[in-house]
């Protein structure tokens, strides 16, 4: 618009007008051009817009590098820096660093800290197993002396390694570092070893199946989490019933009424019918908590004493010696005996014929421990069986090196 006001028009006139404007700008303004090629470390001054391209094509290749330039980089220890190589202490520091921090597949190729980490994992496994032994009442001195001897060996190796680390922190330039014995890094990880036993479930086929060990995550999880009943109690129902012969019928009906119906021609003697309607097993705080099997019915005639398996130390831990069951289509009578002589029972039998007694117990006289129950239940305790575990001396499981 400025050009038009000055009477400039057409291509030639426009070019002449632009030159005129640029000339005026040049007279009234100072323009400083600084050409810098940072990537190549060169710097040139005095380059004008008119000479910039010529400089880039012809003079730049011959321009001296006046600044350091970083084109790429790698990371390494101080000993790899050229200026440090002549210093002996840097070399000694690098050797010691590899002694402690080097990683590799075998003890000879691994640094001390990696071997120490592996030994500490072994010790942690030993501690976990010892806690499980104590929970189930096993004395490791008599039960698993191999574990104790291996634990002492691992503790000695851990102590030797930690002492070297502590000494190095005080003096990073020791005269000589002798690797301690670290043979426990090659044994693997200690793991629990056990046998399991599931007894038959005695009773009927009604209700829904249950299994405490399965609810705890399976056998290995149950033993690892030290599943064991803390409290056991149960209740029973005892009903008086009559056996009546109904007129014009050849079948014998059972009536819950206190007397035979009017259309009965005669009646036989009444009888008692009993059944366990609720079993409560409390595993304490932990994996599965308290489990109630069945539902206590109206007319429950006896709530048994509570069998307490939580005996505080130093008393021996109570273990269940056996469980006695009478049943028909459901559990009619139940008795639980502990090895200390304690017993709880809902044992008033029905006058009707029942099957039993059936004894639920471990398969042999070994150090079996009751860790849960299985069976079926709904409104009643339809059937019942037990789940036992026997701990064995530990074994090693090979795992990848930490």
């Amino acid at each position: 618009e400025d050009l038009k006001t000055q009477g400039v028009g057409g291509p030639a006139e426009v070019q002449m007008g632009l030159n005129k404007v640029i000339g005026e700008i040049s007279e009234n303004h100072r323009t400083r051009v600084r050409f810098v090629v940072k990537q190549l470390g060169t710097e040139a001054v005095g380059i004008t817009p008119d000479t910039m391209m010529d400089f880039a094509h012809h003079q730049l290749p011959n321009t001296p590098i006046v600044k350091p330039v970083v084109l790429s980089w790698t990371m390494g220890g101080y000993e790899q820096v050229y200026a440090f190589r002549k210093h002996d202490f840097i070399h000694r520091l690098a050797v010691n660093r590899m002694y402690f921090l080097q990683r590799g597949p075998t003890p000879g190729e691994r640094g001390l800290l990696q071997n120490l980490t592996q030994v500490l994992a072994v010790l942690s496994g030993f501690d976990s197993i010892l806690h499980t032994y104590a929970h189930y009442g096993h004395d490791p001195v008599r039960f698993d002396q191999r574990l104790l001897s291996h634990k002492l060996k691992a503790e000695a190796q851990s102590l030797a390694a930690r002492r070297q680390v502590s000494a190095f922190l005080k003096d990073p330039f020791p005269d000589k570092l002798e690797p301690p014995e670290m043979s426990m890094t090659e044994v693997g990880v200690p793991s629990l070893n056990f046998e399991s036993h599931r007894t038959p479930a005695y009773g009927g086929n009604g209700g829904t199946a249950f299994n405490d060990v399965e609810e705890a995550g399976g056998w290995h999880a149950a033993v690892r989490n030290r599943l064991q009943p803390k409290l056991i109690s149960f209740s029973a129902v005892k009903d008086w019933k009559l056996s009546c012969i109904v007129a014009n019928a050849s079948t014998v009906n059972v009536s819950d009424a206190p007397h035979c119906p009017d259309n009965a021609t005669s009646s036989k003697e009444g009888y008692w019918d009993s059944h366990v309607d609720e079993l409560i097993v409390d595993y304490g705080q932990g994996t599965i908590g308290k489990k109630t099997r069945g539902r206590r019915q109206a007319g429950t005639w006896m709530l048994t004493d509570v069998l307490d398996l939580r005996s505080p130390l130093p008393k021996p831990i109570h273990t269940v010696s056996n469980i006695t069951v009478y049943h028909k289509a459901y559990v009619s009578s139940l008795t639980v005996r502990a090895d200390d002589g304690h017993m709880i029972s809902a044992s008033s039998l029905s006058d009707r014929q029942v099957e039993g007694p059936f004894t639920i117990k471990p398969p042999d006289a070994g150090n079996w421990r009751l860790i849960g129950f299985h069976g079926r239940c709904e409104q009643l305790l339809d059937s019942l069986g037990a789940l036992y575990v026997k701990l064995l001396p530990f074994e090693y499981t090979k795992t990848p090196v930490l």
Side-chain angles (χ1 to χ4, degrees), residues 9 121 139 197 205 211 230 258 262 327 336:
D139 181 2
H197 177 67
N205 295 320
N211 185 309
K230 300 296 186 295
D262 294 338
H327 72 87
V336 179

Side-chain angles (χ1 to χ4, degrees), residues 105-118:
T106 65
E109 298 174 349
R110 296 196 296 262
L112 183 67
L113 292 182
Q114 188 180 7
N115 285 329
L116 175 58
T117 301
Q118 184 74 11

Side-chain angles (χ1 to χ4, degrees), residues 82-280:
Y82 178 79
F84 287 168
R85 292 178 184 175
K86 60 183 179 180
H87 298 287
D88 179 64
F89 80 94
I90 291 293
H91 174 73
R92 292 169 59 192
L93 187 64
V95 171
N96 292 342
R97 185 185 71 242
M98 295 299 292
Y99 174 83
F100 284 99
L101 300 179
Q102 181 173 318
R103 300 186 66 83
T106 65
E109 298 174 349
R110 296 196 296 262
L112 183 67
L113 292 182
Q114 188 180 7
N115 285 329
L116 175 58
T117 301
Q118 184 74 11
V119 172
L120 293 176
V122 172
L123 283 172
S124 177
F126 285 146
D127 289 339
S128 177
I129 293 173
L130 287 173
H131 284 131
T132 302
Y133 286 173
H135 179 79
Y136 289 115
H138 288 58
D139 181 2
V141 175
R142 293 180 295 178
F143 176 70
D144 199 347
Q145 291 189 357
R146 174 170 161 264
L147 183 148
L148 295 179
S149 64
H150 284 212
K151 184 173 185 290
L152 288 174
K153 188 175 182 179
E155 288 174 340
Q157 294 180 9
S158 169
L159 179 60
R162 286 185 284 113
R163 282 177 174 172
Q164 272 202 357
V165 173
S166 178
F168 180 75
L169 293 176
K170 296 178 181 178
D171 179 14
F173 301 104
D175 293 335
K176 190 175 183 180
L177 288 170
E178 290 290 344
E181 180 190 356
M182 302 298 281
S183 57
M184 294 304 291
T185 61
E186 293 300 291
V187 297
V189 175
S191 61
L192 281 168
N193 191 18
F194 62 90
E195 290 183 13
S196 61
H197 177 67
R198 169 176 170 158
T199 71
Y202 298 99
N205 295 320
T208 303
F210 66 88
N211 185 309
D212 294 340
V213 165
E214 290 181 359
E215 294 185 25
W219 284 100
H220 283 86
V223 177
R224 185 173 59 250
N225 294 324
R226 300 164 197 145
L227 187 69
Q228 187 183 35
K230 300 296 186 295
L231 293 171
I232 299 175
S233 64
F234 44 89
S235 60
V237 174
K238 188 175 182 180
D239 295 325
W240 171 258
K241 296 185 178 182
L242 294 173
S243 181
C244 304
I245 299 177
V246 180
N248 301 322
S250 58
T251 58
V252 177
N253 296 323
V254 176
S255 172
D256 291 329
H259 56 80
C260 287
D262 294 338
N263 62 344
T265 57
S266 63
S267 66
K268 294 182 178 181
E269 292 183 0
Y271 66 92
W272 290 105
D273 187 20
S274 66
H275 53 265
V276 176
D277 65 338
E278 186 179 64
L279 169 67
I280 301 174

